[in-house]
């Protein structure tokens, strides 16, 4: 059993009538629901307005994989909590970052680049799988059509991903590295582009399949209570160091 | 002609008689000297005790490649200046980080991991080239023997390097990814492990050759006056975006 | 349940008394035995002297992962069967190649390089894990000491591995990329350096753990009865292509 | 000065009136012409109908980079000469493979996979640069529009490229990894998708710029008269092995 925390900024759904109609329980509610249908996942949610954004030390220590969606409040997000999430990822917690979460403080801290891209509202997307053997692609068709999405276009300023699993084609005449993995410390990260709040993307079965697969793939294979430290070698021939 | 800035903490050489004997002009003096023999390089130096650590906006804007060595004063290094260096790297400035500079604030910001490792004083090292076609390996022998170095041992907590060019073998019974490249934004980074201050490593011709090659390889192929920003696509079919 | 075929040249054990003493049932017998203790694995063996080397179309079609050890008879191995194994790997069959199997016709066909290296008998090895989060490293200590092994030394002429999981340190003063993964077509390949026939390496628990993990990791996530073909796109908007 | 050999199958131009009108001197003539404007390049051509396809030992030994275009005669190409080209690449000769050359015997030998893809005639292409700092992208705009090209679509069965520099967007609703590098042995390979014979793609300045850059990038940094061999280590502490 894996403990999953689905985090959502949860602001658009409260301020915009059209978005509330699409996600009446919030984006987190929609994602938590389909993840909850997987019996190996124990799912809870957290949002921006909760104390400490709902991401206390206790919650993170008890989370195997954090699913993260944000958009409007990139700057308002607490620096301290962004640093805390980074620390837990480096110690082994998995992280699935959705859509505009690419520009979150968490991702900028973990990946180190500007995370910038080109964007435009309202385009048809076709999401191609270019790494069909990856566990995140299991059971996913060769491509998925998304009737309406926000165009995200290259150049996307990220470090070279460990694997590019999905590439997006947009009718606007753009392409994007839409599904990418990054190993950082002991933590596995999956970034996934689809999911603009104005479109019902998270109801598409293929999208749900990918996010569910990603949660399983990001689950920690090793976990530590503390981050890694520079360590003096004392008796390297006689002793093994802290076993990973 | 490339503008090179060699930065050194320059503390050990002032506080420890044995180290001063090895590097009477400081580690930066030694490195600046052999780089200066390359007529395509214009070399200046900067140190911790200079105002703004000698890394003002003006200096960085005029630097093609920054060579960086530090050790004792990791925490005392200014957060603001670490962020400034990161910004210049992402905008295209090259960065060669030496030895204990792996744990600098600059590297932790750029790579996002803990950058921790295992270490031990005083071991013989043999540095193997495992990517002989890389420009940084041009003219470098299959291996270089270093009579005395500080052992750096795996597990080294870095993101997967773009290329691992050198692997270190240590008589202490350890191995290390000793020469690694990382592309971040528009900037090229080379991390190189040899160079503990108590040993005359930077006088070894093969080591000088590698650092000189690295300075050339890290030189910017594109450069921007400002960092990349998220950019709205207005007329993607009619206009090219800001040409890189 | 996974179907595993352990293939061994099985020549040394029949011609050399000392080697027979180490592996009285052949190297394949030793490996099949420890793999067989895993209840999810159904294990059979095959050897060079069987008709078609024991690697008929039927056997390969019924094999999820092939474990392969050879040494003396690289040239005598059938070209046709090497091509057949390649075809099955590209269609999804997993492949674990041990020790001198690096130079098999199978590996040279799949990886395309010379697969050459430097070698020397009789050295102590310490095998370091440099990617502790990889499934093949699960439950494996930070390093494993092997009292006697054949030194394999860089430069090892392989394509850049997808992941380098283990690096070997040798008392002879050498290093080696000892555990590497390569995805080719729909097939996952793991190359693992330890296992010279004159030393009882395959009895070491950590080595057995790694090979067992590798067999699980190499298991196909997708499988095809025929290799991939160039395919004309007929109605790309209306139809999905052959789902992977 | 680099010695470049531009190889073309040169069949379409002799059998199809429309194609001859586009490339009256053959595709090789067009490419040789624009490469020849670079004063650092010494260019010759070779074609299928020449003895040994024009790729004798002498020609290859005197070639720094081979540019290769073929299409109809994949099967008729000599196995022996495909093996010869592979051997020269592994020993350091650069290789730029264009368009349908992906499926040449040379590429299948070097990369080991099926090299299959999906294809369709007649679509508009937009070629995006997703690695703007790579030397092959120097001076190349953020994207290049190609009015008509043959669609090549994913899944493209190649090993993971060292770098993906260009991704193609097609109006047919497809994407493709259009510009990829692969290091094999001591040789650098660049695969580039544009260039169907029925369209005047090789007259587009941006396409010419990319191919010219690629020729420079693929130039050997090291070169051997013989391929690498497995080598016994005799006195590893006293002698360096054959310097690369």
């Amino acid at each position: 059993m894996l403990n999953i925390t689905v985090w959502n900024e949860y602001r658009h759904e409260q301020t915009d009538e059209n978005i509330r109609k699409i996600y009446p329980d919030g984006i987190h509610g929609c994602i938590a629901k389909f993840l909850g249908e997987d019996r190996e996942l124990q799912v809870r949610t957290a949002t921006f307005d909760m104390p400490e954004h709902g991401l206390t030390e206790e919650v993170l220590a008890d989370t195997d994989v954090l699913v993260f969606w944000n958009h409007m409040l990139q700057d308002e997000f607490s620096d301290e909590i962004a640093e805390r999430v980074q620390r837990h990822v480096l110690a082994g917690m998995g992280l699935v970052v959705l859509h505009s979460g690419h520009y979150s403080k968490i991702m900028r801290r973990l990946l180190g680049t500007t995370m910038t891209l080109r964007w435009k509202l309202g385009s048809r997307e076709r999401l191609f799988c270019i790494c069909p053997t990856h566990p995140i692609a299991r059971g996913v068709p060769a491509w998925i059509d998304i009737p309406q999405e926000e165009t995200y276009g290259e150049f996307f300023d990220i470090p070279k991903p460990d694997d590019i699993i999905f590439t997006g084609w947009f009718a606007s005449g753009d392409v994007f590295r839409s599904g990418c993995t990054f190993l950082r410390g002991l933590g596995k990260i999956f970034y996934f582009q689809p999911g603009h709040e104005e479109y019902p993307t998270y109801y598409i079965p293929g999208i749900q399949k990918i996010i569910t697969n990603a949660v399983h793939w990001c689950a920690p294979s090793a976990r530590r209570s503390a981050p890694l430290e520079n360590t003096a070698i004392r008796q390297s021939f006689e002793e093994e160091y802290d076993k990973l």
Side-chain angles (χ1 to χ4, degrees), chain A residues 127-171:
Chain A
L127 188 72
F128 279 90
C129 177
I130 67 169
C131 189
T133 51
H134 197 285
I136 294 180
R138 195 165 293 180
V140 173
W143 66 66
I144 294 170
D145 278 309
I146 304 175
Q148 283 275 86
E149 250 304 338
E150 184 177 19
T151 296
Y152 273 17
E154 298 281 349
F155 176 64
F156 183 25
D157 183 25
I158 49 174
K160 188 193 293 194
D162 292 354
D163 279 300
I164 305 171
I165 307 175
F166 301 103
T167 297
W169 173 99
F170 293 90

Side-chain angles (χ1 to χ4, degrees), chain A residues 21-38:
Chain A
K21 279 184 185 159
I22 299 170
Y23 294 113
D25 300 319
I27 284 176
H28 56 297
C30 173
I31 292 172
K33 192 178 171 201
F34 71 74
L35 288 179
E37 290 166 10
D38 183 327

Side-chain angles (χ1 to χ4, degrees), chain A residues 5 9-10 26 37 43 52 72 82 89 93 101-102 113 118 171 199 217 224 235:
Chain A
T5 301
E9 196 174 276
Y10 196 34
E37 290 166 10
V43 185
E52 302 185 48
M72 293 172 74
V89 170
M93 184 181 73
H102 74 93
T113 56
R118 293 160 55 255
Y199 312 120
W217 182 79
R224 285 165 165 258
Q235 299 166 279

Side-chain angles (χ1 to χ4, degrees), chain A residues 11-29:
Chain A
R11 189 56 55 101
H12 293 296
E13 301 94 325
Q14 302 191 53
T15 59
D16 185 311
E17 179 64 24
N18 290 323
I19 295 170
R20 180 162 51 230
K21 279 184 185 159
I22 299 170
Y23 294 113
D25 300 319
I27 284 176
H28 56 297

Side-chain angles (χ1 to χ4, degrees), chain A residues 87-239:
Chain A
R87 187 161 34 79
H88 279 269
V89 170
L90 297 181
M93 184 181 73
L95 179 64
V96 175
V97 173
L98 299 172
H99 193 59
S100 35
H102 74 93
Y103 199 66
S104 60
K105 285 180 178 171
I106 294 168
M107 281 294 264
R108 282 182 282 164
R109 288 185 74 96
L110 279 163
L111 298 193
T113 56
T114 65
M115 302 301 294
T116 53
L117 47 76
R118 293 160 55 255
W119 58 270
K120 185 182 184 176
L121 278 184
S123 179
R124 174 179 177 183
E125 177 175 6
R126 175 170 280 188
L127 188 72
F128 279 90
C129 177
I130 67 169
C131 189
T133 51
H134 197 285
I136 294 180
R138 195 165 293 180
V140 173
W143 66 66
I144 294 170
D145 278 309
I146 304 175
Q148 283 275 86
E149 250 304 338
E150 184 177 19
T151 296
Y152 273 17
E154 298 281 349
F155 176 64
F156 183 25
D157 183 25
I158 49 174
K160 188 193 293 194
D162 292 354
D163 279 300
I164 305 171
I165 307 175
F166 301 103
T167 297
W169 173 99
F170 293 90
S172 62
D174 287 284
V175 296
F176 196 69
R177 287 170 283 177
S178 293
C180 300
T181 64
F182 303 92
L183 181 61
R184 288 298 181 274
L186 304 180
K188 291 172 196 150
I189 303 170
F190 179 62
Y191 171 70
F192 192 47
Q193 156 266 319
H196 182 69
E197 65 274 9
E198 296 178 85
Y199 312 120
T201 300
Y202 294 125
Y203 292 100
I204 299 173
I207 300 298
Q208 295 185 352
K209 179 75 176 163
I210 291 167
I211 295 171
T212 306
N213 285 346
V215 161
H216 283 277
W217 182 79
C218 290
S221 52
R223 191 67 191 270
R224 285 165 165 258
S225 52
L228 296 166
E229 297 289 354
N230 280 319
T231 309
I233 303 170
R234 278 160 308 182
Q235 299 166 279
S236 67
F237 273 97
E238 289 75 32
E239 284 191 342

